Each structure stands twice: as structure tokens, then as C-alpha cells.
Amino acid sequence: MSTLFPNEFVYSGFMKPNRFEGDIFELEVEGEVPAHLDGTFYRVGPDPAFPAKSGKDIAFNGDGMVTTFTFRDGHVDFKSKYALTDKLKLERAARRSLFGAYRNPFDDDPTVRGQIRGTANTGIQLHGGRLLAMKEDSPPLEMDPITLETVGYTDFGGKLSSKTFTAHPKVDPKTGEMFAMGYAAKGEATRDLAYYVISPDGEIIHEAWLEAPYSGMIHEFVIGEDYVAFPLTAVTSDIERLKKMDVHFRFDPSKDSYVGVLPRYGRGDEVRWFSGPNRFAQHFANGFQEGRRMHLDAPVAHGNAFPFFPDINGAPFDEEKSLCRLTRWTVDLDDNEGKIVETVLSPATGEFPIVDDRWQGQAYRTHFMMVQTPGQAFAQGKKMMFRTIAKIDVTSGETIYHTGPDEVIFQEPIFIPRSPDAPEADGYLAFLITHMTGQQLSELWLVDTADFEAPPIAKVKLPIRLRPGLHGEWYERSFIEEQIRIGRVRASE
């Protein structure tokens, strides 16, 4: 039977699978790309190669498609390649979907039971000589940073003992170390959390195991000078639900939120869990330490923000409670009560925040976040459709907006420094847009952060439509070349 995607939201319109692999040399540009930009924007997102077994799915369950935009001398080239996971190789051989519902191994075809079912579709990171495409339910998948050819899953020379690995590792800009973790580290719906420190040359140099207060999603974490912090909110999982073919995650309004604080090189039994009110929060773009206090910044909602992860009691989706506002959680290691203190940093409502990563794990000032357009009605079915980005001063609360025309939607931006030593947040935001009319072609827009409300300085035009991605990173060409050298040295040893 030939492949035919059903007429479902996740397979239709701007969400229709693209499945394009190839190169486009010398993209058209309207405006001017700054000639000094010399590097590559790597991005990854779900792009289903086959329809789901059941015919229905959520957007987060597609096969990982890695794309690059390479900038040099004012020119831009494009490349697109599937992350060739074990799952995708098996399904290509069968010419159909073999793996079942999102993060439910009990729904898999018997012929693939026990195989790694990760899609490598959420995060992308170049570190220690490896380009890693990541999905948090499996080990990271290594790819060639230039050709995007798949190398295969990596266990860091046998030192990765966790079954899972975060899609959002953090790199300390001062030391070059990468910090990572895996929740459900001993299998789906377990409470186990594995934590790793990885040296600049890609070797795991520290591992710790701990248990979370309950089984749930720990999508991101933050680093400080001396501590790391793991936030847990009420998006819960349960193995019995999976066996009954229920959805993997459900929001539980009865659960408290928690933050686990661990010394950077601490043992699992040194973790301390702080508690707070029931909340939804997933993307912690930054955090930092202030003496004995840890601050964690994220868009936070008072109710479930993801309608595709339904309420555990079957309650209807609450649109007002789903709105996420940039919020700071503070925990004090000298607080005997162990409570989370909340401070709202901006009234803007949205998701997918980013910062200037040169300030990762440090006190910082500027936060960028995709937001619901001010004054625009909230639409549940279009929760992930944005056409505005906020620039938020987390010290003063000042918020300014860059808004596109009605006929486009934005994807998550990345930040590109104007120069290696430019002040914080001085540079460019690069983000893909999709035209919602006509052929729905995609463009890559560049916005100057010094004139944030102005139109883009450049619109890089694609002759195709790219399906909405998830996360991406910018790397200078000199850094990419150094990572290739590190990878070659390791391969020769």
C-alpha cells in the first residue's frame, strides 16, 4: 500500500509533511544579509516520513528533519536531511509505520519491540566534536556537522548509562562543559533522573543518579556557578496508562511543582527538592545563581498549556489558565521550608523563550519569547501559532514587540551575536516564517535586535515550505571547524 497521510490537522495545510532532503545553493535574498555573518543555523523538527499507525498523532512525534542555513559573505545556502534513526531505518525497510503512539512502546509492532524508538526531532547541539540530534526519550544521535549524514546513536564511549538524554543540554560559556540529564532514565514513566557533565572534548566526566518526587516531564533544567536545578511540573506519566494505550502525558492539577537543586559535581543523595504550587512550565531558557539562591526563568502557566496532553481527570482545556507568562522561580538553599518563590517578569503571554547563550547560567538582562499577539484572540486549536516575538528586559520588565503581518506565522528564533564580543543581546534574531496564503512557502527572516520593532533587514527565500520545527542553534564557522578537528582526533584514537 502506498503512503497516504490522513486528513488530520498534524498532516494538513502548513503542517503537511515536507519530507524534502537535499541542497539548495545560493538562496534568494530580499534585503541584505550582513556580510560579516560567517556560520550556520542548525535546526531540527518533526517531519513524519510515514503516517502514524493509528492515523492520528501529535505534532511532536514526527521523524527528525535537520536543516541548515549556512551564511558567508552575505550569501546563504540550505541543506536538509533526515536524522536516520533506528526507527526510521526500520520503517523505511518496511515502507510503513511500525512504531506506535507518542512514547508508548506497548503500541509498537511486535517486529520492532525493544528497539530504540526515538525520533531525534527536538534539539540540536554541536559539542565535543559531535553534532547531536536529540529527543528526550532516547540516546542522542550523532550526525556529520557538514554533510548531515547520520553516524548513529552515541553513548559517549560507553559512559552514558541512562536510557534517555535531554533535548536541551546546557553549555557553560566560560568552561565549555556541557551539562545534560535524562529523566525516565531507567525506562518510560520511571522516576529516575541521570545527570551528566561532559568535557569540552566530549567525554563524560561526572554522573549522578537521583529520583524525582513523581514521574513526569523534566524537559529543561538550568545551571549556575555551583549548582544545577531540575524543575518538575505536573505533566505526569504512568506505566499503567501506557499499558492501557492511554496517552503518555496527562496534566495533574493535584500535583505540586518541584525544583531539585544539586551541586554541579554532586552525588544523587545531595539533591534537595523545593516545592511550589501546581503549575505548567517546560522551557527554562536561562537561570543563574545569586549566592545561595538559584533563579530559574521560564514561561509559566497556572494550568495546562498543552491541550494535546489532556487533564488527568478529563477536565476541559482552560484557555485563560493556559497562558504562560515569563516568570522567575527562586529557591534559597538557606530556606528551611524549601519553598519556590514566584515573580512574574513580564505580562506578555507566550512560549519558546531564548536568551543570548553567551550569558547561559549567568545573571543576564534580555529574554526573547514567542508570544500571542497583544490584543489577538486566543484560539485553542492554534495554540502554537505565533506571529509576534517579545524582547523582555527581565530587570525592568520593559517589553517591546516585533510583529509580522496577519498572513504569516513565526517559528522559534535563534540569537546571533553581532560579533563575538558584542554586548548581551546585541545582534540578530533569525527565524523561519511560513506564508499562510498561496503556496505557503517559507522564508528565513533576520531582525536587528538594536531596532527590534523595525521590519526584517533580510528575508531569505526558500522555494519550498518547511514544516514547523522545534529548536535550533547558531555556530560560527571557526567553532564548527574546531569541532570537526576534535571529532577527527577522537576517531583516530
Side-chain angles (χ1 to χ4, degrees), residues 360-376:
Q360 189 63 240
Q362 306 169 47
Y364 74 110
R365 185 153 188 163
T366 303
H367 208 108
F368 300 98
M369 185 172 77
M370 298 178 69
V371 302
Q372 275 85 32
T373 305
Q376 177 182 341

Side-chain angles (χ1 to χ4, degrees), residues 212-262:
Y214 55 83
S215 175
M217 182 187 292
I218 306 178
H219 188 61
E220 280 214 68
F221 65 106
V222 304
I223 61 173
E225 185 177 353
D226 303 302
Y227 297 94
V228 292
F230 306 104
L232 171 67
T233 60
V235 180
T236 65
S237 56
D238 182 86
I239 196 70
E240 296 305 319
R241 286 207 308 258
L242 294 179
K243 290 177 180 178
K244 295 174 183 177
M245 301 302 164
D246 195 0
V247 296
H248 184 104
F249 288 118
R250 284 186 176 270
F251 185 79
D252 188 343
S254 72
K255 297 287 190 186
D256 285 348
S257 301
Y258 288 90
V259 172
V261 180
L262 183 73

Side-chain angles (χ1 to χ4, degrees), residues 138-156:
S138 52
L141 188 79
E142 183 178 352
M143 302 176 72
D144 185 283
I146 302 299
T147 67
L148 300 185
E149 293 293 332
T150 295
V151 178
Y153 286 109
T154 181
D155 61 4
F156 296 90

Side-chain angles (χ1 to χ4, degrees), residues 14-326:
F14 73 99
M15 293 292 290
K16 185 177 178 63
N18 177 269
R19 304 196 294 165
F20 171 77
E21 295 186 276
D23 299 357
I24 304 175
F25 185 79
E26 190 63 26
L27 295 174
E28 294 181 84
V29 176
E30 177 184 331
E32 187 173 345
V33 173
H36 65 271
L37 292 184
D38 190 8
T40 298
F41 168 22
Y42 293 84
R43 66 182 283 277
V44 66
D47 198 339
F50 299 95
K53 279 179 61 189
S54 67
K56 295 186 178 182
D57 211 344
I58 65 172
F60 292 168
N61 204 30
D63 298 287
M65 181 71 80
V66 178
T67 53
T68 61
F69 293 85
T70 298
F71 292 69
R72 195 167 189 184
D73 299 328
H75 303 274
V76 185
D77 301 325
F78 172 80
K79 185 182 294 289
S80 183
K81 194 82 172 173
Y82 267 121
L84 199 55
T85 60
D86 291 3
K87 169 188 178 294
L88 184 54
K89 288 189 286 187
L90 289 164
E91 291 184 333
R92 280 184 169 180
R95 292 188 176 266
R96 64 183 178 91
S97 181
L98 297 172
F99 293 79
Y102 174 76
R103 294 191 68 169
N104 190 344
F106 299 102
D107 194 32
D108 293 346
D109 189 280
T111 61
V112 296
R113 292 271 170 88
Q115 299 289 333
I116 297 177
R117 63 195 317 276
T119 50
N121 70 9
T122 308
I124 193 88
Q125 190 82 43
L126 181 56
H127 181 269
R130 300 179 179 95
L131 178 65
L132 302 176
M134 298 163 289
K135 172 76 173 179
E136 61 197 52
D137 62 353
S138 52
L141 188 79
E142 183 178 352
M143 302 176 72
D144 185 283
I146 302 299
T147 67
L148 300 185
E149 293 293 332
T150 295
V151 178
Y153 286 109
T154 181
D155 61 4
F156 296 90
K159 292 186 177 182
L160 181 71
S161 55
S162 171
K163 291 184 177 181
T164 62
F165 192 87
T166 181
H168 289 285
K170 305 294 184 182
V171 176
D172 186 323
K174 294 180 178 179
T175 69
E177 293 170 314
M178 184 169 77
F179 298 81
M181 59 90 185
Y183 71 93
K186 291 184 180 178
E188 294 293 8
T190 59
R191 293 167 50 199
D192 303 279
L193 181 71
Y195 163 66
Y196 295 96
V197 182
I198 302 168
S199 69
D201 60 359
E203 180 182 358
I204 289 178
I205 56 175
H206 181 75
E207 177 185 59
W209 283 79
L210 50 148
E211 279 195 351
Y214 55 83
S215 175
M217 182 187 292
I218 306 178
H219 188 61
E220 280 214 68
F221 65 106
V222 304
I223 61 173
E225 185 177 353
D226 303 302
Y227 297 94
V228 292
F230 306 104
L232 171 67
T233 60
V235 180
T236 65
S237 56
D238 182 86
I239 196 70
E240 296 305 319
R241 286 207 308 258
L242 294 179
K243 290 177 180 178
K244 295 174 183 177
M245 301 302 164
D246 195 0
V247 296
H248 184 104
F249 288 118
R250 284 186 176 270
F251 185 79
D252 188 343
S254 72
K255 297 287 190 186
D256 285 348
S257 301
Y258 288 90
V259 172
V261 180
L262 183 73
R264 263 199 181 196
Y265 303 97
R267 304 183 313 270
D269 59 5
E270 294 181 271
V271 68
R272 183 178 175 193
W273 291 98
F274 294 76
S275 64
N278 179 264
R279 294 289 187 263
F280 175 99
Q282 295 300 315
H283 289 111
F284 288 78
N286 204 9
F288 61 96
Q289 189 178 331
E290 191 175 39
R292 296 272 292 167
R293 296 189 300 166
M294 280 288 293
H295 303 294
L296 302 83
D297 294 353
V300 175
H302 285 216
N304 183 19
F306 285 177
F308 37 82
F309 296 151
D311 187 274
I312 198 168
N313 302 310
F317 186 69
D318 188 321
E319 296 181 358
E320 182 58 35
K321 284 188 175 181
S322 76
L323 296 176
C324 298
R325 292 173 175 84
L326 184 61

Side-chain angles (χ1 to χ4, degrees), residues 366-410:
T366 303
H367 208 108
F368 300 98
M369 185 172 77
M370 298 178 69
V371 302
Q372 275 85 32
T373 305
Q376 177 182 341
F378 176 81
Q380 177 181 339
K382 299 180 180 179
K383 171 64 179 161
M384 295 301 172
M385 294 174 63
F386 303 92
R387 63 180 185 89
T388 297
I389 301 173
K391 180 183 180 183
I392 301 168
D393 186 318
V394 299
T395 302
S396 69
E398 179 187 11
T399 304
I400 59 177
Y401 301 93
H402 180 90
T403 300
D406 291 342
E407 67 272 12
V408 306
I409 57 170
F410 291 176

